Amino acid sequence: MKSEFTPPIGKISNITGQCISLIGNDIDTDRIIPARFLKCVNFNSLSESVFEDDRKTLKGKHPFDLKENKNASILVVNSNFGCGSSREHAPQALMRWGIKAIIGESFADIFYSNCIAIGIPCFTLPKKSIEEIQNYCDKQSLFLEIDLKNSLAESKDLNFNLEIKESSRKMFLSGEWDATSTLLDNENLIEKKFNQLPYIKFNTNFL
Amino acid sequence: MSQDTLFDKVWDLHKVSSLPGGSDQIFIGLHLIHEVTSPQAFGALKDKNLKVKFPDRTVATVDHIVPTDNQSRPFKDNLAEKMIETLEKNCLEHKIRFFNIGSGNQGIVHVVAPELGLTQPGMTIACGDSHTSTHGAFGSIAFGIGTSQVRDVLASQTLAINKLKVRQIWCDNKLSKGVYAKDLVLHIINKLGVKAGVGFAYEFAGPAIHELSMEERMTICNMSIEGGARCGYINPDEKTFSYIKNKLCAPKNEHWDKALRWWKSLKSDENSIYDDVIKLDASKVEPTVTWGITPGQSISINQQIPLLDELSPNDKLVAKEAYEYMSFKPGQLIKDTPIDVCFIGSCTNGRISDLRVAAKVLKGKKVSKNVKAFAVPGSEKVATEAKQEGIDQIFKNAGFQWREPGCSMCLAMNSDKLIGNQISASSSNRNFKGRQGSPNGRTLLMSPAMVAAAAINGKVSDVREFNNL
């Protein structure tokens, strides 16, 4: 288990860390954090329960239990990672375990939005490159330096041009990924929109 | 890029601004909250010293953690009690309307909002739950969000979000007897795959969709997310309008006329442009059952579980995982698979029409002695209606347990769970590993009629062989 957790804040431009490879397509958020752990009113205690059932099944052999991955912070996954339930508890649990960025073949939409909203950049790479990283991780530790400005991942042996949605990249570089204040900057426009919407007027029974 | 579809129109109408990064700021017309994904959002508001901007645009109910056997307070489960108390406190403090247990309107959030008339065409609807896509059945643009986005909607009534592409799924002809909306949507997800919808909104259209009742349309849109599409919708028509009419929160009198005029103008243009169009023949769809660990791993009732060689390279990895987890052999028939637990309920299939069709199958029959069967109405209203129609008695006489409304064993956050490697026939939406509360529990998704048939025979059965359909 990791030491104390500090959430990311402000601009995110570089992430350096060891990769942890998790093989499998369509890994859903129920697997990342089973529903019984959602019975909480804050996210603080989630890190211990990440992948709880998968880890129990693999009896210590799950990547999140291997000693050599103890300090890893860049998760490498296959396709449609984070599908299913919208629970933000899933990326929150990963983040609290120590994950700071994810590289995968593809991500489910809501999971991706949740990651962006809490400051975990998600990058994509073609299947071949992901497999290359995963094979490498099988044999030895891989330390990557991710440069968000140029969308690059570099290491001693492997280098990749990462893909990331332009809007997400810009938000991380400017620090606007924590969207609340950006949205509230347009308070006048929000009021204006509220007054323009046709259904606001005819929904007098709404409440 | 799509043009002049309903999705484009509703998106443009709600667009507040283009954000510096390139995503859009979208106004959310209706925000629904529940006890699981909202407490941290209210906590974050407090931390940032923010208020709820438009408390009238948010409506709350409690569904995920509620017990379905004994709902008296305090709940036996302390953690569940703490969650409902937190929601009660937050709603009171921020003046948010809350449909609590006993109000007559509590239930699964995606059952409750439509039956209250809150869900309407042309709205944007968000909720911290992936099955928010359900509301698209009314021609609204509705999608699930995470807790940080719940915070953003509470604080600003808007979201930062990238516009989706639009894929039309055109369904020709109509469903045959004994085949339901659930079968159709499982079929669609199987054909397109569980990630085909990533980055897309799905527009369901065509004669087979037009033919469906509003509740069946909700089943279809509900499971868009299982095909990867965060949002699914259907152009509104007369069925939509008459479903909404006279509901508690629906527009009344002169407001109704205004609403109707506007709603009638809301649909994809005949020559609108889609990013993609898929066509399929609904009359070819048969009762469909999942055999694996994703909602895309399904077959028709008379088919065999696919061999590895029959699958595309991309599907093989998950198929191997599924054979092992489910203890099924490739090539094995799904029909006659013994069942331990039958569950009828959920935001997919817990509405009155779902209970009616299951009751038709169950009437005068008995649940197999090897099966534990229970029915969980989607809302207090559904439960009341079922009682008025004598449906609860038909279920009870057949040997079903009749429970109080909630999400129940769809995701097993309460005490309704599979035990060990039990196998369930379930009218819910997800057959993920461990989804129904046991780390090695197994789920077969199917229509409520098929669940009822499985309950009687104690094994996966073809409901078309029941002559009281």
Side-chain angles (χ1 to χ4, degrees):
Chain A
M1 212 38 58
K2 305 298 160 79
S3 49
E4 73 284 358
F5 166 75
T6 41
I9 182 166
K11 295 177 185 178
I12 299 174
S13 52
N14 292 286
I15 296 157
T16 304
Q18 186 196 330
C19 292
I20 173 170
S21 151
L22 182 69
I23 294 173
N25 293 330
D26 308 321
I27 293 179
D28 57 77
T29 53
D30 273 86
R31 279 170 72 183
I32 300 173
I33 187 86
R36 61 184 180 278
F37 298 111
L38 312 190
K39 271 192 254 172
C40 55
V41 291
N42 60 52
F43 293 124
N44 299 341
S45 58
L46 293 174
S47 76
E48 290 160 40
S49 320
V50 70
F51 291 112
E52 167 94 357
D53 291 347
D54 284 5
R55 287 163 78 173
K56 275 204 174 132
T57 310
L58 291 179
K59 298 189 176 89
K61 294 201 174 109
H62 190 279
F64 277 69
D65 283 323
L66 298 179
K67 222 170 82 196
E68 58 266 32
N69 288 334
K70 206 171 67 172
N71 295 314
S73 59
I74 300 173
L75 178 61
V76 181
V77 296
N78 298 100
S79 87
N80 201 26
F81 187 74
C83 60
S85 160
S86 64
R87 61 190 70 167
E88 188 175 300
H89 306 67
Q92 290 278 1
L94 290 169
M95 184 166 79
R96 277 152 216 274
W97 187 86
I99 298 301
K100 294 190 166 67
I102 312 180
I103 305 176
E105 287 174 47
S106 64
F107 299 94
D109 274 343
I110 304 178
F111 179 83
Y112 182 91
S113 309
N114 286 341
C115 285
I116 302 306
I118 65 174
I120 304 177
C122 295
F123 304 92
T124 55
L125 277 177
K127 189 179 164 71
K128 220 181 98 218
S129 309
I130 294 289
E131 282 169 357
E132 201 179 340
I133 298 179
Q134 291 179 328
N135 289 336
Y136 191 103
C137 289
D138 245 6
K139 296 178 201 97
Q140 56 193 297
S141 297
L142 175 65
F143 289 87
L144 278 182
E145 281 181 40
I146 297 176
D147 164 11
L148 248 143
K149 197 160 172 230
N150 299 300
S151 302
L152 288 175
E154 295 180 317
S155 72
K156 187 162 60 77
D157 298 323
L158 302 173
N159 297 300
F160 301 98
N161 287 311
L162 300 168
E163 298 252 348
I164 182 166
K165 275 184 195 156
E166 190 53 17
S167 56
S168 311
R169 196 181 69 91
K170 283 187 179 154
M171 283 161 100
F172 284 123
L173 291 173
S174 67
E176 285 166 348
W177 54 271
D178 188 357
T180 322
S181 59
T182 313
L183 296 170
L184 283 171
D185 282 347
N186 290 331
E187 212 149 6
N188 293 341
L189 293 175
I190 297 171
E191 295 281 351
K192 200 174 144 200
K193 181 55 74 182
F194 173 77
N195 290 316
Q196 277 171 356
L197 286 170
Y199 57 81
I200 304 289
K201 296 177 200 74
F202 58 64
N203 270 309
T204 49
N205 295 320
F206 210 67
L207 289 170
Chain B
M1 209 162 46
S2 64
Q3 265 177 37
D4 304 323
T5 66
L6 178 70
F7 182 85
D8 292 286
K9 293 177 190 184
V10 177
W11 190 274
D12 292 347
L13 178 66
H14 289 83
K15 186 167 160 177
V16 173
S17 74
S18 299
L19 295 170
S23 51
D24 287 344
Q25 181 174 8
I26 293 294
F27 190 93
I28 299 302
L30 172 64
H31 183 212
L32 303 167
I33 59 170
H34 60 82
E35 74 283 13
V36 177
T37 57
S38 68
Q40 296 88 344
F42 284 109
L45 280 194
K46 202 168 188 182
D47 292 345
K48 292 183 182 237
N49 209 8
L50 292 167
K51 284 204 270 273
V52 177
K53 185 157 179 63
F54 293 108
D56 288 0
R57 310 306 308 168
T58 295
V59 176
T61 191
V62 56
D63 53 9
H64 285 64
I65 52 97
V66 298
T68 60
D69 48 359
N70 179 358
Q71 296 190 330
S72 58
R73 299 281 300 277
F75 295 152
K76 255 187 282 171
D77 179 346
N78 291 335
L79 292 172
E81 177 62 25
K82 175 101 193 280
M83 294 186 81
I84 189 172
E85 281 174 8
T86 305
L87 183 64
E88 287 169 333
K89 189 178 130 287
N90 284 328
C91 288
L92 197 67
E93 188 180 330
H94 297 278
K95 300 190 170 60
I96 290 168
R97 190 164 181 185
F98 176 38
F99 292 105
N100 205 343
I101 294 172
S103 65
N105 288 309
Q106 174 268 340
I108 307 174
V109 62
H110 311 306
V111 176
V112 164
E115 70 187 13
L116 284 168
L118 290 167
T119 301
Q120 296 172 14
M123 277 182 178
T124 45
I125 302 178
C127 172
D129 190 283
S130 62
H131 291 110
T132 307
S133 57
T134 311
H135 306 268
F138 292 79
S140 60
I141 297 308
F143 46 85
I145 55 177
T147 297
S148 296
Q149 292 187 309
V150 171
R151 171 204 65 200
D152 289 347
V153 179
L154 289 171
S156 73
Q157 204 62 35
T158 64
L159 278 176
I161 187 166
N162 288 61
K163 195 177 173 187
L164 298 166
K165 291 183 278 188
V166 186
R167 173 179 291 133
Q168 188 188 52
I169 300 174
W170 183 269
C171 304
D172 266 320
N173 298 319
K174 61 177 200 177
L175 294 172
S176 43
K177 198 171 175 176
V179 181
Y180 303 93
K182 181 65 157 289
D183 302 301
L184 176 59
V185 72
L186 284 173
H187 176 85
I188 292 170
I189 297 164
N190 173 263
K191 291 296 162 215
L192 301 186
V194 289
K195 62 172 182 156
V198 172
F200 281 91
Y202 279 176
E203 177 181 298
F204 299 98
I209 298 295
H210 185 74
E211 191 76 14
L212 298 177
S213 70
M214 286 314 295
E215 297 195 349
E216 291 173 303
R217 293 179 189 184
M218 285 188 249
T219 301
I220 301 274
C221 292
N222 173 277
M223 288 192 69
S224 307
I225 184 64
E226 311 311 334
R230 189 175 192 171
C231 165
Y233 70 91
I234 293 169
N235 284 301
D237 60 14
E238 290 302 326
K239 278 185 199 171
T240 318
F241 312 141
S242 60
Y243 180 98
I244 299 171
K245 198 168 186 180
N246 298 324
K247 295 278 192 286
L248 185 68
C249 301
K252 305 271 157 46
N253 307 322
E254 76 275 16
H255 294 297
W256 171 259
D257 299 331
K258 275 187 213 154
L260 199 60
R261 224 170 311 148
W262 185 58
W263 293 343
K264 282 183 172 173
S265 74
L266 284 170
K267 58 181 168 212
S268 297
D269 289 351
E270 234 164 79
N271 49 3
S272 56
I273 299 168
Y274 296 90
D275 296 282
D276 191 28
V277 177
I278 301 279
K279 286 182 194 278
L280 60 95
D281 182 351
S283 68
K284 298 257 166 66
V285 178
E286 295 195 72
T288 302
V289 180
T290 63
W291 59 269
I293 54 169
T294 79
Q297 291 175 316
S298 70
I299 48 177
S300 299
I301 180 69
N302 292 312
Q303 278 183 319
Q304 295 163 333
I305 292 171
L307 302 173
L308 208 53
D309 289 345
E310 294 165 351
L311 296 165
S312 75
N314 284 335
D315 292 336
K316 285 185 184 176
L317 192 60
V318 180
K320 276 191 221 163
E321 237 184 300
Y323 299 141
E324 195 194 328
Y325 183 83
M326 300 299 287
S327 309
F328 287 157
K329 289 193 188 64
Q332 179 183 337
L333 280 170
I334 197 71
K335 200 176 172 187
D336 295 336
T337 303
I339 294 295
D340 303 307
V341 177
C342 284
F343 170 62
I344 295 182
S346 86
C347 60
T348 311
N349 282 123
R351 298 186 177 79
I352 188 67
S353 58
D354 299 312
L355 300 177
R356 278 185 197 134
V357 73
K360 238 169 146 182
V361 177
L362 293 171
K363 195 167 187 181
K365 300 222 162 51
K366 290 279 178 212
V367 169
S368 160
K369 63 179 190 326
N370 304 321
V371 168
K372 176 194 169 186
F374 62 114
V376 183
S379 70
E380 291 181 344
K381 241 192 182 77
V382 171
T384 306
E385 247 179 304
K387 277 177 195 155
Q388 281 162 358
E389 295 178 24
I391 286 172
D392 62 326
Q393 271 312 320
I394 296 174
F395 273 86
K396 285 184 213 164
N397 292 344
F400 261 76
Q401 297 180 32
W402 182 263
R403 298 291 190 84
E404 304 293 339
C407 298
S408 181
M409 209 182 71
C410 174
L411 87 167
M413 274 191 78
N414 64 1
S415 56
D416 306 332
K417 294 178 199 299
L418 293 181
I419 300 164
N421 70 346
Q422 274 184 332
I423 189 158
S424 80
S426 180
S427 75
S428 56
N429 41 58
R430 286 183 176 141
N431 52 343
F432 297 154
K433 286 180 171 179
R435 170 76 177 182
Q436 293 193 295
S438 164
N440 53 340
R442 297 171 289 170
T443 304
L444 306 186
L445 301 175
M446 57 190 85
S447 76
M450 288 285 282
V451 177
I456 294 161
N457 289 342
K459 54 191 186 179
V460 176
S461 307
D462 189 342
V463 73
R464 293 172 300 185
E465 290 164 15
F466 284 67
N467 45 20
N468 46 349
L469 252 196

